[in-house]
């Protein structure tokens, strides 16, 4: 601070823009859409929290909110910070629910009703739901009539997505899997193949121009050299074929066995056009 620009003149004024009457908890209850019992349960949890932010305010100057909108925004930020400090957040692990989660029963029901649109047990995983919708849109976009060649498709680790979304497009469904430096080709009845190979050197065993649709979902965050890997995908796809691709932008770090990247739409386009 300096000159006339002091803490008092900047940030210690009384809030403005609010009439004198005091609003009770009924306003918060109405905003949240809670009934009385839900409201009391929430207040009970809050009463048992350790007031971390209050203790911080004793040693750190507090910037007062000064309008209804400012204070509503500040309240949300403080609920968020206090929730993590008190360990009532996050709501749940991003990849599943545990038995103590009040939605666990619903998770089990959704798992049972999963007809193959996504991995079993991932019905609550938002990126799986997003990928499933992307696959549905893509399957409608790609024409299934007049597919050239063997109608061969290839997917990572299993053919679940191909069987569910591209069964009209694909007659033969191949799998590609990674197992370190291992490299092998397995031929199966019906012409299906299983390639075990590092995608960076896939040209050593996957023929060029041999695949109509490559399904590559949530793989490239694990790929060390994404430009080289994307070139391998386009090399394997036959003329007129498609690379159906997705990768996370917001996702926690996860192995399998390494996790290197996150992709924006511009980043995805850049490696595809490279």
């Amino acid at each position: 601070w300096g000159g006339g620009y002091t803490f008092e003149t900047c940030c210690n004024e009384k809030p403005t823009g609010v009439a004198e009457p005091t609003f009770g908890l009924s306003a918060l209850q109405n905003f949240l859409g809670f009934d009385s019992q839900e409201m009391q349960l929430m207040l009970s949890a809050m009463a048992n929290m350790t007031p971390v932010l209050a203790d911080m305010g004793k040693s750190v100057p507090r910037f007062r909110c000064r309008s209804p909108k400012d204070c509503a925004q500040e309240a949300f930020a403080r609920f968020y910070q206090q929730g993590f400090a008190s360990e009532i957040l996050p709501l749940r692990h991003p990849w599943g629910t545990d038995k103590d989660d009040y939605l666990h029963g619903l998770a089990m029901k959704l798992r049972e009703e999963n007809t193959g649109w996504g991995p079993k047990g991932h019905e609550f995983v938002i990126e799986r739901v997003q990928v499933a919708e992307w696959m549905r849109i893509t399957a409608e976009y790609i024409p299934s009539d007049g597919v050239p060649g063997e109608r061969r498709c290839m997917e990572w680790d299993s053919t679940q997505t191909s069987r569910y979304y591209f069964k009209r497009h694909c007659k033969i469904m191949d799998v590609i899997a990674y197992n370190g430096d291992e490299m092998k080709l397995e031929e199966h009845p019906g012409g299906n193949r299983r390639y075990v190979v590092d995608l960076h050197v896939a040209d050593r065993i996957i023929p060029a121009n041999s695949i109509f649709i490559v399904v590559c979902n949530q793989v490239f965050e694990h790929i060390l050299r994404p430009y080289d890997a994307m070139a391998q995908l386009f090399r394997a796809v036959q003329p007129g074929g498609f690379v159906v691709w997705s990768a996370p932008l917001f996702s926690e770090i996860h192995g399998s066995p390494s996790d290197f990247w996150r992709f924006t739409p511009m980043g995805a386009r850049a490696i595809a056009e490279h």
Side-chain angles (χ1 to χ4, degrees), residues 30 65 121 125 137 155 162 179-180 192 245:
N30 182 63
C65 52
V125 180
I137 293 172
E155 183 179 348
S162 299
N179 189 29
N192 301 307
W245 186 96

Side-chain angles (χ1 to χ4, degrees), residues 178-234:
Y178 173 77
N179 189 29
D181 294 330
E182 184 178 7
M183 184 182 305
K184 66 179 179 180
L185 166 61
E186 301 172 356
E187 296 279 359
H188 294 276
N192 301 307
R193 298 168 181 165
R194 183 174 185 266
Y195 300 101
V196 180
V197 64
D198 184 335
L199 181 57
H200 297 96
V201 293
D203 55 305
R204 296 181 183 178
I205 61 172
I206 300 179
N209 305 322
S210 62
I211 310 295
F212 174 58
I213 297 177
V214 171
V215 179
C216 184
N217 286 327
Q218 314 303 88
V219 173
F220 265 55
E221 68 270 28
H222 307 295
I223 299 294
L224 179 61
R225 302 191 304 277
Y227 284 100
D228 295 341
M230 186 66 81
Q232 290 282 3
L233 296 186
F234 278 89

Side-chain angles (χ1 to χ4, degrees), residues 95 125-132 218 221 248 250-251 254:
W95 293 94
V125 180
I126 185 62
E127 65 183 68
R128 296 298 189 190
V129 176
Q130 292 173 325
V131 168
Q218 314 303 88
E221 68 270 28
F250 301 107
S251 182
H254 53 286

